[in-house]
Amino acid sequence: MKTFDHIDEAINRARAAATGRRGRALTPILNAIVVIARSGSDEQLREAEALLEIETVASGRHGLAIGRLLEALAFAERRNARWIAACLARRLSWAYDFAGDDAASMRMAEQSRADFVALGDTEGYLRSISNLGILWNRRGDLIGARRLQEEVLILAESLQIPKERCRARINLGHTCQLIGDFARSRQLLTEAQTMAGDGGAPMHAFALLNMSRLDIAENNPEQAAETLQRAQPFIDTGNHFGQIETWLLRGQIATLQGRFADAVGCLSEGLKLAESESSGAPREQVELWQAMSATQAAAGDYQAALKAMHNANEINASLRREGAVLQAATAVQRNAEEQAHLEAQRASASASTGRDTLRELQELRLQLERANEEKDRLTQELARMTR
């Protein structure tokens, strides 16, 4: 089968799975990405990556994509497909982030940013620093996150990319809320809701979920509940992490209203979803357990509150251990790939040297043949002159 036929077949399978089995189409989409990384084009990767984004929003299985994305990245780097490699590094940054590995996520985001700068790709650079702004937010560097997200907003406006304009407002609006700049946060999130039509259901959901968080921060549980109700139709279309966050926000709203039993029930439902085998939502588990601890403390059950906080701390510690192991395993894999690449380069250089030597020998042989022919001609000329 010809290479382009093989790639087209993989993309068609990914497209069909994404259409017919949303939330369960991760494997064929990743297969297509690996095939494209080996020998496909930038445009083919663009389509496959868009399918991957929709699928991971629906399923939440970011962590399960890491292995295949690393494989694809190695293929792209080996054939010097620089734009494809930059996109895969950015996608890996997302995957590591949702898997809870801050260090690997930051490393991939920085690699992606540097690659897009070297390529002169402003849109790619915009998306990379958007990732970095979210990571700095998660790490608690809210001032740095805000500064970077303001740059993202300016770039998105200058490029006039509807989805990125909306995404920039959602992320910056959430950071402003955490800093305590509620007026700026509400302005940005309101603008994001207006723009979300171009970004589809996920953008609507994220904008409204962050608005509900803002309502809670302003101690307005009734308004938060109403905002959350508006978000529900967009979440129901297929948004795994949106479903988890909905239970979290319902629990926090019930706690503010003094309905502690209802709050515990909501947070427990969220934990069931976040702890499910297919979920891969460790950060969300931490946030849910922290909210559970706050609810139990508000209800006066300090022993249960202490246990819930202990669970949150245990998951955080586990994330750090798993991150260290994953980084070590990734380093071993990358070192092995780099060693194999160096060996291939040495073999190629050796073969090239051999070819150069053969060419030199062939040139010397031709020169010797020409010298012999000249000698024969001169000998014949001398014989003629002698006669």
Side-chain angles (χ1 to χ4, degrees):
M1 180 180 290
K2 294 181 180 178
T3 300
F4 62 83
D5 289 339
H6 185 48
I7 296 172
D8 287 342
E9 181 182 341
I11 293 173
N12 287 335
R13 287 178 179 172
R15 195 183 296 127
T19 303
R21 296 185 287 118
R22 180 176 292 185
R24 295 174 295 161
L26 187 62
T27 297
I29 293 172
L30 289 172
N31 288 343
I33 286 175
V34 171
V35 170
I36 292 166
R38 293 186 72 159
S39 55
S41 69
D42 294 355
E43 282 306 312
Q44 287 169 329
L45 181 79
R46 197 185 298 274
E47 179 183 359
E49 194 184 12
L51 294 175
L52 179 62
E53 181 165 352
I54 294 169
E55 172 63 20
T56 48
V57 167
S59 69
R61 299 183 178 185
H62 291 268
L64 297 179
I66 291 173
R68 297 308 304 279
L69 288 173
L70 282 172
E71 182 183 355
L73 179 59
F75 282 129
E77 290 177 339
R78 200 168 297 156
R79 71 180 178 103
N80 200 30
R82 297 172 63 199
W83 187 84
I84 290 177
C87 289
L88 291 169
R90 183 174 60 83
R91 184 58 55 184
L92 272 162
S93 175
W94 273 108
Y96 278 123
D97 178 34
F98 281 100
D101 189 340
D102 284 344
S105 180
M106 187 71 74
R107 186 178 67 251
M108 284 296 172
E110 292 285 7
Q111 177 181 329
S112 173
R113 174 168 68 170
D115 288 346
F116 282 122
V117 168
L119 290 166
D121 185 336
T122 308
E123 184 177 339
Y125 170 76
L126 160 66
R127 290 174 175 159
S128 294
I129 63 172
S130 179
N131 283 23
L132 280 169
I134 294 170
L135 292 173
W136 289 2
N137 183 313
R138 290 195 196 281
R139 287 188 163 197
D141 183 1
L142 298 179
I143 302 303
R146 180 171 184 168
R147 185 175 63 251
L148 200 56
Q149 288 167 351
E150 292 281 9
E151 181 184 351
V152 171
L153 182 59
I154 293 169
L155 269 176
E157 289 299 301
S158 67
L159 294 175
Q160 285 295 296
I161 304 172
K163 189 172 183 179
E164 297 307 324
R165 294 177 68 208
C166 182
R167 195 198 308 272
R169 284 166 168 79
I170 292 170
N171 294 335
L172 180 55
H174 179 52
T175 300
C176 287
Q177 178 247 305
L178 294 175
I179 289 173
D181 188 352
F182 295 154
R184 173 81 163 137
S185 175
R186 189 167 294 279
Q187 173 203 346
L188 289 163
L189 293 173
T190 301
E191 291 173 1
Q193 291 172 57
T194 303
M195 296 176 177
D198 296 315
M203 288 298 176
H204 278 285
F206 296 139
L208 287 165
L209 287 171
N210 280 346
M211 184 68 86
S212 184
R213 282 178 178 266
L214 176 60
D215 293 332
I216 291 170
E218 292 186 316
N219 200 26
N220 192 345
E222 289 74 21
Q223 181 62 42
E226 191 275 330
T227 304
L228 196 57
Q229 188 64 33
R230 286 194 289 134
Q232 199 63 54
F234 303 111
I235 294 169
D236 290 342
T237 60
N239 188 324
H240 179 76
F241 286 97
Q243 293 168 10
I244 296 173
E245 189 163 350
T246 296
W247 286 114
L248 169 66
L249 295 175
R250 285 175 179 169
Q252 291 175 327
I253 290 167
T255 299
L256 282 177
Q257 294 174 331
R259 297 182 291 108
F260 301 124
D262 290 342
V264 169
C266 290
L267 295 171
S268 298
E269 289 298 319
L271 282 165
K272 286 179 188 176
L273 192 54
E275 292 169 351
S276 64
E277 186 177 348
S278 63
S279 179
R283 294 186 188 282
E284 286 66 26
Q285 292 178 45
V286 171
E287 196 170 6
L288 283 158
W289 279 119
Q290 289 172 340
M292 182 73 81
S293 178
T295 297
Q296 298 286 20
D301 191 344
Y302 299 110
Q303 186 173 355
L306 183 62
K307 183 178 178 181
M309 186 55 68
H310 174 75
N311 289 341
N313 292 337
E314 279 291 304
I315 297 170
N316 266 328
S318 176
L319 283 175
R320 287 193 292 272
R321 288 193 298 270
E322 290 175 6
V325 171
L326 187 57
Q327 287 178 56
T330 301
V332 169
Q333 179 183 351
R334 295 301 294 272
N335 287 338
E337 289 167 354
E338 289 171 5
Q339 187 63 35
H341 187 53
L342 285 173
E343 291 296 334
Q345 286 181 325
R346 291 192 190 104
S348 176
S350 177
S352 177
T353 302
R355 287 192 296 271
D356 290 343
T357 303
L358 181 60
R359 278 196 298 271
E360 290 173 4
L361 288 172
Q362 288 172 338
E363 182 63 30
L364 287 171
R365 182 174 60 79
L366 289 172
Q367 290 176 7
L368 183 59
E369 288 176 356
R370 285 195 293 269
N372 286 333
E373 289 172 358
E374 182 66 13
K375 184 193 74 170
D376 291 342
R377 188 187 67 78
L378 290 172
T379 301
Q380 291 171 4
E381 181 66 19
L382 181 60
R384 186 185 63 79
M385 290 176 66
T386 301
R387 288 194 299 270

